[in-house]
Amino acid sequence: MEIFLQGSTWIALLTLIFLEIVLGIDNIVFISIVSNKLEEKDRPKARNIGLLLAMVFRIALLFGISWVLRLQTVIFKIDTNWLNAGITGQSLIIIAGGVFLLYKSVAEIHHKLEGEEEGTKAKASKTISSAIFQIVMLDLVFSFDSILTAIGLVSFDLPPVGFGYFGGMAIIIIAIVVSIIIMLIFAGPVSKFVNEHPTIQILGLSFLLLIGVMLLAEGSHLAHFEFFGNPVHSIPKGYLYFAIFFSLFVEFINLKMKKRKDPVQLRNSTIVDEKLKNKKILDK
């Protein structure tokens, strides 16, 4: 526990908590959209179970770090005139997660555009187990990203170079638990806000589309895909998060302007109603 008397330990811990929360935003958006399909009383249960399972998966993967690293070994290779790749377990999981996100987000956008949301909600309101299953599948994919980021940030070398094995594990576990607690506190308000604003829902689904494409690119990069000799590169997460936060900033401005316009529109409609009422009285 002596490492917690060092300033570098707290800097690493706070940085890791921040990164865990940022990486967990994708999870919260997905959980909000999936839980919206459930009955009102079941939504908090689905959100809490989803986030708690995310914490369990991340800690389990952390202790199975050797297994995670073994997933980076090549399972089989593809060598053709136009395609070369070395498929790993990690790349397969990430690619599968990207495909699932693309399918789910496109299907949800289709339902909303075609007006099938109410029928879908009525059908899915009885299947909380289905919602939890979907959340678990995405938790697993996002947990890989989270744990690999944490391992890259925290040094397991012996002090004073690093934090040591037990110190590094303690820092990562504390960061995971604290970040999940913070997300549990804010998941309800975030879900309520997302579900009350249709434009935010579409924006969230668009984010899931972006994240799905990013996962496909990341998985292809980890598998060393090459098309006609051109390697596939991963998409820097900084670009993605900048696009997401900038879009949210613009949408919040639109919501603010709409709120300011609503009282004016209400007053104008009241004036029109009064004029019509007076006109009817004069006509009589």
Side-chain angles (χ1 to χ4, degrees):
M1 299 301 292
E2 293 82 4
I3 61 169
F4 288 98
L5 300 177
Q6 303 172 12
S8 59
T9 301
W10 291 99
I11 292 173
L13 180 60
L14 293 175
T15 303
L16 192 53
I17 289 173
F18 174 76
L19 288 176
E20 289 289 329
I21 293 172
V22 170
L23 292 173
I25 289 174
D26 313 334
N27 216 350
I28 290 179
V29 171
F30 181 79
I31 289 173
S32 300
I33 292 171
V34 171
S35 63
N36 187 43
K37 295 285 184 181
L38 303 173
E39 295 180 358
E40 188 72 31
K41 61 183 179 63
D42 292 330
R43 293 176 188 175
K45 180 180 178 182
R47 287 196 301 267
N48 293 338
I49 290 176
L51 288 171
L52 289 174
L53 284 174
M55 181 177 69
V56 171
F57 279 140
R58 292 178 187 185
I59 294 176
L61 284 173
L62 178 61
F63 280 104
I65 184 172
S66 59
W67 178 74
V68 174
L69 294 177
R70 279 201 301 271
L71 290 177
Q72 298 180 35
T73 59
V74 176
I75 301 174
F76 62 91
K77 291 185 177 182
I78 300 174
D79 190 4
T80 64
N81 293 330
W82 60 277
L83 174 62
N84 295 302
I87 308 299
T88 63
Q90 182 185 350
S91 64
L92 282 176
I93 292 173
I94 293 177
I95 289 173
V99 171
F100 177 75
L101 266 186
L102 288 175
Y103 164 76
K104 188 64 182 176
S105 53
V106 170
E108 290 293 331
I109 291 174
H110 173 74
H111 290 156
K112 292 183 182 298
L113 291 179
E114 295 298 323
E116 301 173 12
E117 184 180 3
E118 293 303 320
T120 306
K121 185 182 294 186
K123 181 180 178 181
S125 62
K126 301 177 183 178
T127 58
I128 186 172
S129 58
S130 174
I132 292 175
F133 176 76
Q134 294 179 53
I135 292 170
V136 166
M137 291 298 99
L138 260 294
D139 278 344
L140 186 60
V141 175
F142 288 135
S143 294
F144 269 94
D145 196 18
S146 170
I147 290 303
L148 291 175
T149 300
I151 293 171
L153 180 66
V154 177
S155 174
F156 287 90
D157 294 332
L158 293 175
V161 177
F163 302 107
Y165 175 78
F166 292 104
M169 292 285 283
I171 290 172
I172 296 176
I173 291 173
I174 291 172
I176 291 172
V177 173
V178 171
S179 63
I180 292 296
I181 290 173
I182 292 173
M183 285 190 282
L184 281 170
I185 294 171
F186 289 100
V190 169
S191 297
K192 182 180 179 182
F193 179 78
V194 169
N195 294 326
E196 286 180 351
H197 297 84
T199 55
I200 294 292
Q201 290 184 35
I202 296 298
L203 200 59
L205 290 169
S206 302
F207 294 161
L208 293 181
L209 275 174
L210 281 176
I211 295 165
V213 172
M214 183 197 72
L215 290 176
L216 286 178
E218 181 72 19
S220 300
H221 174 69
L222 291 172
H224 305 291
F225 270 83
E226 290 185 3
F227 293 95
F228 299 102
N230 298 313
V232 176
H233 298 286
S234 60
I235 301 173
K237 292 183 177 63
Y239 294 160
L240 179 68
Y241 288 124
F242 174 78
I244 289 175
F245 286 121
F246 182 75
S247 302
L248 285 174
F249 175 71
V250 173
E251 184 59 29
F252 287 146
I253 292 176
N254 288 334
L255 291 174
K256 189 71 173 178
M257 292 178 65
K258 185 179 178 181
K259 285 182 179 180
R260 292 183 62 181
K261 286 183 178 179
D262 285 345
V264 176
Q265 293 174 350
L266 180 62
R267 187 171 64 251
N268 291 338
S269 63
T270 304
I271 294 173
V272 171
D273 291 341
E274 288 293 331
K275 287 182 178 179
L276 290 174
K277 183 178 179 181
N278 293 335
K279 185 176 183 299
K280 287 181 181 179
I281 293 174
L282 290 174
D283 290 341
K284 291 181 180 180

